[in-house]
Structure formats: structure tokens, C-alpha cells
Amino acid sequence: MSVPQYRKTAALALVAGLGLSLTACSTKSDDATSDAGGKVTITVDCQPVGSQKDLLQNWNDDVAEFQRQNPNIVVKSVSVGEQCNNPPDFTARLAGGTVTDLFYGYMTDLQQVLDSGQAMDITEFANKETIPTWDSVDPALKEVFTEDGKLYAVPTKNYSMGLLYNKTLFQQAGLDPNNPPKTWPEVREAAKKISALGNGIAGYAEYSAGNTGGWHFTALLYSQGGQVLTEDGKKADFNNAMGRQVLQNLKDMRYGDNSMGSRQLLQWADLLTNAAAGKVGMFIGAPDATTAIVTQFQGKYQDWAMAPMPGQDGPAKGTLGGGEGYFFKKGLSKEQVEAGLKWLAYEKLTPGKGQFDYVRAKPQNQPVGLPQPTLFSVGSDAQKQEVELRKANANLPVENFTAFEATPVPIKGEPRNAQAIYAVLDAAMSGVLTNPNANIDELLKTAEGKVNQLLAAES
């Protein structure tokens, strides 16, 4: 699931209930080639949906301004509704050949996109001429969309995970909100104190269903220094001391301390609903989880702060990162690819424009100030400009993210076949959170076998 990128399971809940009709995208090249007037037309999916009125208006305004600045380019926006964030629908569009010229995907989608034969190698076209900030884009993000030295997509968003905690509950429990837990044993101790407040409050909450459990198992494993797969990607690599420690930590909190609440099998919206209601003390997530808590579940920004991912006996050895980008449909002309890259540069990769137009976003009460996305390398010109603009227009308590931003943890991307693996690992997570007699060794052994079968079938 945002470095990335994986098909972020959180997005499944974000689109729930939109009820939008899906618009098929023509795959005929004459829909997107130069017309008699010399104009180049490109189709682009995943414009904001109708319920996001300000965001949709911003997108449409940006398209109009981009076309004014580039009169030879026509951008046709295509809404595919929830397909943009729904893995099965995305896969169906790939299989059906109905992707747009520029089509949105998560960082974990690279392999299935390549397998579909729908993606175009854009290596020779992505440069400072088409994307002026290209040299500032974090090389690690470019690498996520690279296979055998060939670039297939442009990264447009990313995130990394840390420990989100409720400052108000910390204070009520006698904890220092300016000194959050740095290790998992400290998380456990804090969770006990928070849950002792009663009223159905969970000191620490965790996912265990809908692929979200496997997603978070991966993040927790990275904090231990582990990895889900071997370096060659051919075998599972979590049935070991680090994987056991992940599940033991959770089992201890769930049943040893009773600090995780009685309701389990939580998915994305479940946990955030509880968090917004003041019923969760801590959980791991990305900075934009706070936005969802506020905008979708009626929570308050001032309640939430973020610290780096905890480690077992000291600083975390890694944290999961994810994100998204845009692929280019195979068969586009040179002119179309260059036009598409220019559009992405304008809308996604220019400080002060598009998604980084903080001056516009602030009065619309869109969140400004979150340390996300962090697309540009630290110290690069684009990064400095983005940070300056973000801080100048912040409309939320940025100090709540100071510890997270000031103490970066090494980022690891998601494993190959992430969603299928996460589905397997859900069982291990749900096992330790719903069964006090769960055998951790057996849970990991079973998951290991299933993942190895999955990988063997893919090879």
C-alpha cells in the first residue's frame, strides 16, 4: 500500500459509498494522438471524485491553466470512480485493456502492470526537459517503478509510517505527550496506562483483516529489522525470531495486559473511527491518517501527534513506506509521452502548483502542514521550496509532527506481490489478536508455506 508503493488498503475505505458510475477508457490510439491542428491529446484517470468538490474544481482549474500554458496539449480527465483505489477493479481494467494513456497505480502494482503488458518504458523521456524537478525527485521513489533499468511510472505521492498517538489520552493517563514511546516495550507500558482509563479505550490498536493486518505486520517486521521476503524475492523470510517478536508483542498487549480492547478484526475505517472517538491511544500509520481522522471521522488535529516508528530495544531499524504514481500506456507516441510528463510535472511535481499549491489549499481548509508527500530528496532545491511553502501556509499543528520529521527512520518498500502476501498474513495477525491460546510458531509456519506457494505459482 503510499516508499512505496503498494496498493494502499486504506484507500479501499476512502472510496466506500461513493456510488459513482465507472467510465470506460478507450484504448484506441486515435483518441490520444495529434489532430489535424497539431494538438496532442492525452487521457488521464483518477481526477478527484464529485464528492470532493474543492479538489475537483482545483483539478479542473489546473487542467485549464496547463492547457493555456501549453496550447498544443489537450488533457482529457476520466473518472473511473472507486476503481482508482480498488485492487480488483484496477486489475480488471488492466486485463480488459481499458486503462487511460496515463493511469494511476500504487507502487505495489508494478509487477502486475508489467505482467499485463500495458505499460510503456518511459526512461528516455523522463528528464529535466519534461519534468524540471526530476533531478530533485528521490531516487528511491524512481527505483520503485523501475525494472531491469527501465522506468515505467512517475512517482506522485509517498509516505512512511510512524507511531500516531493521542496527546489528550497521554495527558489523562499521566504520560508525557512530548516524550512518546521509542521502543515496543515502552509502547506496551504506555498502552497499559492508557487502557486503565477505562471507557472502552484501547491503549494500542491494530489491524487484522482486509489485508490491513498483513500490511501492518510488514511494517512491524521492518521495525525489528526483518524483511517479508528473501533478497531474491523467491521465498518467505518472516518465520524467524523477528517475526515471532512482532506477534509476541501483540499477544502480550492483547492478552497479557488487555490493553488493545476486546473488539478485533479491525480494518482501516474501524480503527480510525475508534481513534476519532477518543477510544485509541496509539497505532501505527502514515501522517495522512490524521487527515482521515479529522475529515472523515470528525476527530481533531490537536489531539494527534506522531513519533518515529518504535524499535524493539532502541531506534527502529526500518519503517514501511508506500505511495503511488502514474504509468503510461504502451503504444503512445513520443509527443503523447512528453505531454503526459509535462502534465504530471505541473500537477504533481512542482512546489506551489497542483498538489503543492498550499496557498490555494489553506483557505479551502484542506490540510497543509503534514510531512507528506516527501517526493523530493532532502536538501534539494525543490525540497527546500516545498518545505518553506508548507510551513508558511500550515493550517494544522505542525509541531505535532516535529519528532517524526526530525528523526527519520530508514524506509523499506513493500514486498513483491504485496496484496496477496498481506492477505495471507492477516491470518497470523488475527490469530494472535482473537485467540489467547494461539501458537505463534504455527501461525508463522502456516503463513510461510502459503506465501511460498504463492511465490512458486508466480514464478
Side-chain angles (χ1 to χ4, degrees):
M1 300 153 226
S2 246
V3 156
Q5 296 307 333
Y6 39 143
R7 183 157 287 276
K8 188 176 177 183
T9 54
L12 300 178
L14 280 171
V15 299
L18 292 177
L20 297 177
S21 61
L22 302 179
T23 304
C25 313
S26 173
T27 59
K28 296 180 181 179
S29 60
D30 59 5
D31 272 355
T33 55
S34 300
D35 61 22
K39 291 191 175 183
V40 177
T41 300
I42 54 172
T43 55
V44 184
D45 68 2
C46 292
Q47 67 183 115
V49 295
S51 60
Q52 300 169 306
K53 293 182 179 179
D54 285 337
L55 295 180
L56 179 57
Q57 184 62 54
N58 293 345
W59 173 283
N60 291 335
D61 289 345
D62 288 347
V63 168
E65 177 58 22
F66 175 77
Q67 291 180 150
R68 187 191 68 78
Q69 295 182 19
N70 298 273
N72 64 318
I73 299 175
V74 175
V75 176
K76 289 187 176 180
S77 304
V78 178
S79 174
V80 291
E82 67 182 53
Q83 286 188 2
C84 285
N85 295 304
N86 189 332
D89 288 344
F90 177 80
T91 299
R93 285 196 294 133
L94 284 176
T98 58
V99 295
T100 44
D101 300 329
L102 277 66
F103 62 98
Y104 167 105
Y106 291 114
M107 292 182 178
T108 47
D109 288 330
L110 176 61
Q111 193 58 53
Q112 73 162 320
V113 171
L114 294 180
D115 290 345
S116 76
Q118 296 288 309
M120 182 173 181
D121 173 10
I122 59 171
T123 310
E124 66 176 297
F125 304 109
N127 51 51
K128 290 181 66 175
E129 294 300 315
T130 52
I131 301 177
T133 60
W134 188 241
D135 289 350
S136 292
V137 175
D138 191 331
L141 304 185
K142 299 175 187 177
E143 183 63 27
V144 170
F145 287 122
T146 299
E147 181 79 8
D148 296 328
K150 298 178 180 179
L151 179 71
Y152 289 95
V154 173
T156 56
K157 281 189 179 179
N158 75 304
Y159 72 88
S160 64
M161 294 180 126
L163 182 72
L164 287 146
Y165 63 99
N166 187 311
K167 295 175 65 177
T168 301
L169 291 181
F170 262 56
Q171 291 174 325
Q172 291 175 359
L175 297 166
D176 183 359
N178 296 315
N179 186 29
K182 298 178 177 62
T183 65
W184 288 111
E186 289 178 5
V187 169
R188 182 180 179 183
E189 289 304 310
K192 284 194 288 188
K193 293 179 180 179
I194 295 169
S195 64
L197 294 172
N199 298 317
I201 295 172
Y204 178 82
E206 192 51 274
Y207 297 131
S208 55
N211 291 25
T212 56
W215 174 36
H216 271 207
F217 175 90
T218 300
L220 298 172
L221 184 65
Y222 287 175
S223 77
Q224 298 283 341
Q227 57 188 13
V228 174
L229 303 179
T230 54
E231 291 295 342
D232 60 11
K234 296 181 179 179
K235 294 285 185 180
D237 193 23
F238 51 77
N239 184 11
N240 51 38
M242 290 175 285
R244 285 190 290 275
Q245 187 68 68
V246 168
L247 296 186
Q248 190 64 56
N249 287 343
L250 294 175
K251 189 175 183 181
D252 288 344
M253 286 192 285
R254 172 70 175 95
Y255 290 107
D257 306 333
N258 194 29
S259 63
M260 294 185 66
S262 58
R263 184 189 172 198
Q264 298 300 321
L265 301 179
L266 301 179
Q267 298 190 47
W268 185 82
D270 304 319
L271 195 159
L272 296 190
T273 298
N274 294 341
K279 300 298 184 180
V280 173
M282 296 173 286
F283 68 100
I284 63 168
D288 64 352
T290 58
T291 299
I293 287 173
V294 174
T295 62
Q296 297 185 57
F297 304 106
Q298 289 73 57
K300 299 177 181 178
Y301 274 119
Q302 57 264 37
D303 285 343
W304 291 94
M306 189 168 183
M309 179 72 79
Q312 188 60 35
D313 302 309
K317 296 178 181 178
T319 186
L320 186 147
E324 60 201 49
Y326 271 87
F327 293 89
F328 286 65
K329 184 176 69 176
K330 183 173 287 187
L332 298 181
S333 68
K334 174 179 181 291
E335 291 76 16
Q336 288 172 283
V337 175
E338 290 177 343
L341 291 170
K342 289 179 179 179
W343 162 248
L344 293 179
Y346 182 89
E347 184 65 8
K348 303 292 185 179
L349 293 168
T350 300
K353 302 293 184 183
Q355 71 169 333
F356 293 120
D357 190 343
Y358 299 136
V359 172
R360 175 176 64 186
K362 182 177 181 178
Q364 293 175 345
N365 291 320
Q366 296 174 37
V368 179
L370 295 175
Q372 178 187 339
T374 51
L375 289 167
F376 307 116
S377 298
V378 175
S380 66
D381 290 342
Q383 186 260 350
K384 293 176 182 176
Q385 187 178 358
E386 187 274 329
V387 169
E388 183 178 335
L389 287 169
R390 174 166 27 111
K391 291 182 176 179
N393 293 280
N395 58 6
L396 52 84
V398 294
E399 64 275 8
N400 287 356
F401 298 89
T402 299
F404 172 76
E405 197 165 16
T407 314
V409 174
I411 295 172
K412 287 175 63 70
E414 294 180 278
R416 172 175 165 238
N417 295 313
Q419 291 304 319
I421 290 172
Y422 293 164
V424 171
L425 290 170
D426 269 357
M429 293 287 278
S430 62
V432 296
L433 295 176
T434 61
N435 179 7
N437 299 313
N439 186 310
I440 290 175
D441 289 338
E442 286 300 318
L443 289 171
L444 289 174
K445 182 179 179 180
T446 299
E448 178 187 39
K450 289 183 178 180
V451 169
N452 284 339
Q453 286 182 337
L454 184 158
L455 295 173
E458 290 287 330
S459 61

